[in-house]
Amino acid sequence: PTKDLQTVNIALRVLSRPQVEHLDKIHRNLGQDYNNKVLPSIVNEVLKSVVAQYNADQLITMREKVSQQIIEILNERAKSFHITLDDVAITHLTFGADFTTSVEQKQVAHQEAERSKFLVAKAEQEKKVRVIEAEGEAQAAELISDALKKNGRGLIEVRRIDAAKEIAANLAGSRNVVYLPTGGKEGSSMNMLLNVGQ
């Protein structure tokens, strides 16, 4: 287990050879099967001692340092058995289901937090836009009010005529609407729009 008690599985590749000048000692003390007697036990011992010094996330972020520490300690231990290690490498590193689930949940939470930040920033931006639009409309209303005070109701009449032209253009484009003007007394004319179905 790691320092934070997470289960970790590590696969290690070890290429070794006996020290030629000590072959007689190796054969006498360990036999011909020296590799299978020594390496599994010292590899497990070293891995357990090194892994216990780190938290699970440190094994990922500091993998190179952990690997180097394993190599150095393993080389020292193998030398005491007159074995030279030509290559040592971590080939596989996996964690227990709890840790994996925890990492996934952290990533999801981080993404949700980032999304929330984005939504807040977007809402702030939209708020600024609405404030600017409202200020612009207020300035426009003030200008119109000043123009009305200064020039009378002529501006309103021009706007009314423009609106009437736009409505007339829209109605002219529709085949189902008929406009029937009716005559009447001065200032009291009443006009009708009929929606004629097909």
Side-chain angles (χ1 to χ4, degrees):
T2 60
K3 188 176 182 180
D4 55 354
L5 302 178
Q6 295 296 326
T7 303
V8 63
N9 295 314
I10 299 178
L12 203 63
R13 181 186 70 229
V14 179
L15 300 177
S16 65
R17 60 186 163 84
Q19 293 173 355
V20 177
E21 63 275 8
H22 298 288
L23 275 175
D24 60 329
K25 289 180 186 173
I26 294 171
H27 187 50
R28 197 175 358 168
N29 296 335
L30 302 172
Q32 285 184 325
D33 200 18
Y34 70 92
N35 253 354
N36 291 330
K37 289 181 179 176
V38 175
L39 288 180
S41 63
I42 66 171
V43 166
N44 281 335
E45 174 191 325
V46 169
L47 284 177
K48 285 180 181 179
S49 70
V50 172
V51 165
Q53 298 173 29
Y54 296 94
N55 289 330
D57 57 341
Q58 290 174 316
L59 289 178
I60 297 168
T61 59
M62 302 169 66
R63 184 173 177 154
E64 195 60 40
K65 179 182 177 186
V66 172
S67 182
Q68 194 58 42
Q69 189 175 356
I70 290 169
I71 291 168
E72 288 171 7
I73 296 172
L74 205 51
N75 271 320
E76 285 302 312
R77 292 289 290 130
K79 278 182 188 174
S80 66
F81 292 97
H82 309 292
I83 298 172
T84 301
L85 302 180
D86 293 323
D87 185 37
V88 178
I90 295 175
T91 58
H92 198 64
L93 180 68
T94 58
F95 296 94
D98 291 344
F99 180 75
T100 305
T101 302
S102 171
V103 169
E104 288 171 359
Q105 288 173 346
K106 279 183 184 177
Q107 287 176 334
V108 168
H110 178 71
Q111 289 171 350
E112 287 175 358
E114 288 299 315
R115 178 171 162 64
S116 295
K117 285 180 190 176
F118 169 76
L119 292 175
V120 167
K122 182 180 175 187
E124 286 293 324
Q125 199 62 31
E126 289 172 352
K127 179 181 169 186
K128 287 178 183 177
V129 167
R130 287 193 299 274
V131 167
I132 291 169
E133 286 174 347
E135 288 173 351
E137 289 174 9
Q139 287 177 349
E142 190 176 323
L143 289 173
I144 290 171
S145 176
D146 290 347
L148 286 174
K149 287 178 188 172
K150 187 176 178 183
N151 300 320
R153 299 195 48 84
L155 178 63
I156 292 178
E157 290 302 319
V158 169
R159 292 268 170 102
R160 215 168 116 210
I161 292 168
D162 288 343
K165 284 181 183 177
E166 186 178 333
I167 292 169
N170 287 338
L171 291 176
S174 175
R175 295 187 309 200
N176 297 334
V177 177
V178 176
Y179 174 69
L180 296 175
T182 58
K185 297 178 189 167
E186 183 78 24
S188 67
S189 64
M190 190 167 122
N191 301 321
M192 293 174 48
L193 288 176
L194 297 176
N195 186 5
V196 181
Q198 292 183 358

